[in-house]
Amino acid sequence: MTDQRKTLRERRICVVIPTYNNGGTIAHVVEETKLYCDDIIVVNDGSTDDTTTILSSIADITVVGYHKNRGKGYALKQGFRKALSMGFSYAITLDGDGQHYPKEITKFLDANQTHPGSLVIGSRNLHGVERSKGSKFANHFSNFWFFVQTGKRINDTQSGYRLYPLKKLHGLSLLTSKYEAELELLVFPSWHGVELTEIPIEVYYPPKEERVSHFRPGIDFTRISVLNTILCVLAVIYGFPLRLFRFLAKWSRTLYSLLLFVILMLFIITPLVWIYTKIGKMTEKKREKLHRVIYHISRFFMLKHGIPGTRFTHHVAEGVDFNKPYVIICNHQSHLDLMCQLIFTPNMIFLTNDWVWKNPFYGLLIRNAEYYPVAEGIDSLLPKLRSLAGRGYSIALFPEGTRSKDCRIGRFHKGAFYIAEHLGLDMLPMCLYGTGHVLRKGKYHLDRGPIHIEVKAPISCNTLHEQGELKRQASWMRGEYKVWYEELANRFET
């Protein structure tokens, strides 16, 4: 669990536990939570039993307390504000009555890494659980009105086990003080485009006679009904227009970028390249100019013009000399990856998939620039790659072979290491963050977010050989990339 606690802290994730008169369970809940997370904030919501004394005896936690009971919504608000003041970016909330299992924190961390920036909801497995008719009705009632107010379906809007992106909690100052606040904490972020992600969790419900509940059916149902009425009105005058604006903005960014790229490539670059290749013999000097065209197009899109809604940054380690040839490897996340890599040097060729090599927009350009399809086979390509390396070109390829669905580092194939060994080239590692979130695999629109690429110092052939056979080299390098990518994700997702 040490690694998990370390990762939670690196990603600035804390746990917030609101409690009111849970003297019989709060010590166990907190101590169990400490096994999984080092940063715990307990909000003592004006408890009148021995909760205050119990909390004072527990070491290494932060306690926020006040004398008068104000309700769960108020307690959550105080916990979030304390977490923000302590520099946290996310807060996992669980109840102090023991119904939530702290071991499920692992699931929330996994969901946060897979869906950074999203609000994660622990959807309770209530199969076989003895619940009152009022509790069942409240859940169905809340789920229905949430769909009406946001257009999104959630299975369990009443679950209190959640992970909140603290800097995206719109409407926090308007939050009501009681149970219904948890519905608001879903509605307001949803209107503002925060992704909602559900994960399955287990819960413990003690026997009916042992349960401690502060839910008052008559008063609280009335409050929830009034809140839903207000939220429905706000949905019409604020939520729906905001969602429409965000939808139009998202597709406007996408269409603008697509049209700019298509017009530039299909109607300007490709015709000019066709004319350029037909006039006279294709010499080495003419090929160098084509590489410079690709280089300047990439720098235009990534550095000068920029992709709307994104912020692009890059970093190159000392000792990297792009004038010498390398075997360049990089993790693969989206169709934007090549342009990110090509900003560094014109002396780079890619091994591509067939559809890229035959692409109607830029296929003619890259074919004449001596990019090659991997379908030809590494052995048949080696003489061509050796010639390119001898002319000063680096060979770039993606060792994963395909784009990652969740941006995590996939299995590395041996091809890159085989080429490095046979050509006697050092390996230059690049790592991308963000392109898979901006242009997701299987999606057709551009999202907002940062894009960053880093280049580390070259790895010598001797260092690769020290790792053993090619399969071991690939496995070792993948391990290095997993650590590297996690460091980047922890930096940018907080």
Side-chain angles (χ1 to χ4, degrees):
M1 290 301 170
T2 302
D3 289 343
Q4 176 178 300
R5 293 201 298 267
K6 178 175 178 287
T7 303
L8 286 167
R9 178 161 286 180
E10 287 176 345
R11 295 183 70 82
R12 301 180 193 171
I13 301 175
C14 68
V15 172
V16 172
I17 306 175
T19 182
Y20 172 61
N21 286 353
N22 295 128
T25 57
I26 190 62
H28 175 75
V29 170
V30 173
E31 292 295 346
E32 186 78 9
T33 303
K34 287 171 70 175
L35 297 176
Y36 301 91
C37 181
D38 290 328
D39 302 297
I40 302 171
I41 301 170
V42 181
V43 183
N44 184 6
D45 185 24
S47 297
T48 55
D49 63 356
D50 58 349
T51 296
T52 302
T53 303
I54 293 171
L55 291 175
S56 65
S57 66
I58 302 176
D60 302 321
I61 64 171
T62 300
V63 178
V64 177
Y66 38 88
H67 295 295
K68 183 180 178 180
N69 175 245
R70 304 291 295 272
K72 189 174 185 181
Y74 184 85
L76 288 172
K77 187 190 303 185
Q78 299 311 306
F80 294 155
R81 286 176 172 168
K82 183 64 176 179
L84 283 167
S85 72
M86 295 172 67
F88 292 104
S89 298
Y90 300 94
I92 297 173
T93 59
L94 58 89
D95 293 343
D97 60 4
Q99 70 162 290
H100 297 143
Y101 294 109
K103 66 180 181 181
E104 305 272 37
I105 288 173
T106 302
K107 292 183 180 180
F108 284 91
L109 175 58
D110 289 342
N112 175 253
Q113 292 176 309
T114 306
H115 306 279
S118 68
L119 196 162
V120 183
I121 304 157
S123 184
R124 297 168 292 177
N125 179 9
L126 299 173
H127 180 71
V129 174
E130 183 185 358
R131 301 165 64 205
S132 67
K133 291 182 179 180
S135 175
K136 293 179 182 178
F137 174 76
N139 202 37
H140 292 303
F141 183 78
S142 179
N143 292 351
F144 169 77
W145 285 111
F146 178 77
F147 173 73
V148 170
Q149 292 149 9
T150 67
K152 299 179 181 179
R153 294 192 183 278
I154 294 294
N155 294 320
D156 192 1
T157 55
Q158 294 294 294
S159 173
Y161 208 167
R162 301 174 180 175
L163 181 145
Y164 291 97
L166 295 174
K167 297 175 183 178
K168 296 183 178 182
L169 289 184
H170 300 274
L172 190 60
S173 60
L174 303 175
L175 202 64
T176 51
S177 61
K178 304 296 182 181
Y179 285 99
E180 66 274 12
E182 288 183 312
L183 176 60
E184 295 173 88
L185 284 168
L186 294 181
V187 171
F188 287 127
S190 179
W191 285 345
H192 284 266
V194 177
E195 180 184 359
L196 304 181
T197 301
E198 283 192 284
I199 60 172
I201 61 167
E202 299 293 329
V203 291
Y204 169 71
Y205 277 95
K208 201 170 183 179
E209 61 275 8
E210 296 180 17
R211 295 180 192 173
V212 177
S213 175
H214 306 295
F215 185 76
R216 301 162 299 176
I219 296 175
D220 287 327
F221 267 128
T222 300
R223 291 177 62 90
I224 292 171
S225 298
V226 171
L227 173 64
N228 277 309
T229 302
I230 294 172
L231 289 177
C232 285
V233 173
L234 286 175
V236 173
I237 63 176
Y238 178 74
F240 293 160
L242 181 59
R243 287 175 57 205
L244 178 61
F245 172 79
R246 294 183 64 85
F247 176 83
L248 293 175
K250 174 176 66 179
W251 283 102
S252 295
R253 292 194 303 270
T254 303
L255 291 174
Y256 169 75
S257 299
L258 179 62
L259 284 173
L260 180 63
F261 182 77
V262 169
I263 290 171
L264 182 64
M265 295 303 302
L266 192 59
F267 298 107
I268 300 175
I269 301 297
T270 297
L272 291 176
V273 169
W274 185 86
I275 295 171
Y276 183 71
T277 57
K278 296 299 180 182
I279 298 176
K281 186 180 178 181
M282 180 57 71
T283 63
E284 176 65 19
K285 192 169 184 180
K286 290 182 73 172
R287 291 194 190 279
E288 288 179 4
K289 289 181 179 179
L290 285 180
H291 280 280
R292 292 206 165 271
V293 168
I294 297 173
Y295 170 70
H296 287 296
I297 289 173
S298 300
R299 291 182 69 85
F300 169 77
F301 275 107
M302 301 310 302
L303 299 178
K304 295 181 180 178
H305 178 272
I307 298 173
T310 69
R311 179 175 57 87
F312 179 75
T313 55
H314 60 282
H315 175 76
V316 180
E318 292 185 11
V320 177
D321 180 8
F322 284 107
N323 291 316
K324 63 178 291 188
Y326 301 103
V327 171
I328 297 176
I329 61 170
C330 187
N331 57 316
H332 197 10
Q333 295 190 349
S334 87
H335 298 310
L336 302 174
D337 295 354
L338 267 70
M339 283 198 298
C340 295
Q341 294 175 263
L342 285 164
I343 67 166
F344 297 112
T345 176
N347 300 326
M348 187 189 307
I349 69 101
F350 279 84
L351 299 186
T352 71
N353 292 324
D354 276 356
W355 74 267
V356 175
W357 203 67
K358 299 174 182 177
N359 190 280
F361 297 115
Y362 46 79
L364 180 65
L365 177 60
I366 66 172
R367 287 194 296 273
N368 281 281
E370 296 182 286
Y371 288 29
Y372 292 107
V374 291
E376 285 192 25
I378 296 298
D379 287 325
S380 65
L381 287 174
L382 271 177
K384 300 173 184 177
L385 301 181
R386 183 173 285 108
S387 172
L388 285 164
R391 288 149 52 197
Y393 289 99
S394 292
I395 316 300
L397 65 165
F398 300 109
E400 295 165 290
T402 186
R403 290 171 290 148
S404 169
K405 284 186 177 180
D406 59 6
C407 298
R408 297 194 184 186
I409 305 300
R411 184 173 69 89
F412 278 20
H413 299 286
K414 298 182 293 184
F417 306 89
Y418 182 84
I419 294 171
E421 180 178 273
H422 279 74
L423 300 187
L425 297 177
D426 291 346
M427 186 166 282
L428 186 66
M430 296 183 179
C431 190
L432 266 167
Y433 172 82
T435 54
H437 298 305
V438 171
L439 184 57
R440 299 172 189 265
K441 187 173 184 178
K443 301 294 183 181
Y444 302 98
H445 62 264
L446 293 173
D447 288 319
R448 299 171 65 90
I451 296 176
H452 181 77
I453 184 168
E454 280 192 2
V455 184
K456 281 194 173 180
I459 300 171
S460 69
C461 293
N462 290 336
T463 301
L464 290 175
H465 290 154
E466 288 171 3
Q467 308 308 317
E469 60 180 348
L470 296 179
K471 187 176 180 180
R472 289 184 177 275
Q473 293 177 28
S475 178
W476 169 75
M477 186 63 75
R478 183 195 179 210
E480 295 294 303
Y481 262 81
K482 288 173 71 174
V483 173
W484 189 5
Y485 183 78
E486 185 172 324
E487 290 173 353
L488 291 178
N490 291 344
R491 187 196 316 169
F492 285 96
E493 292 169 10
T494 56

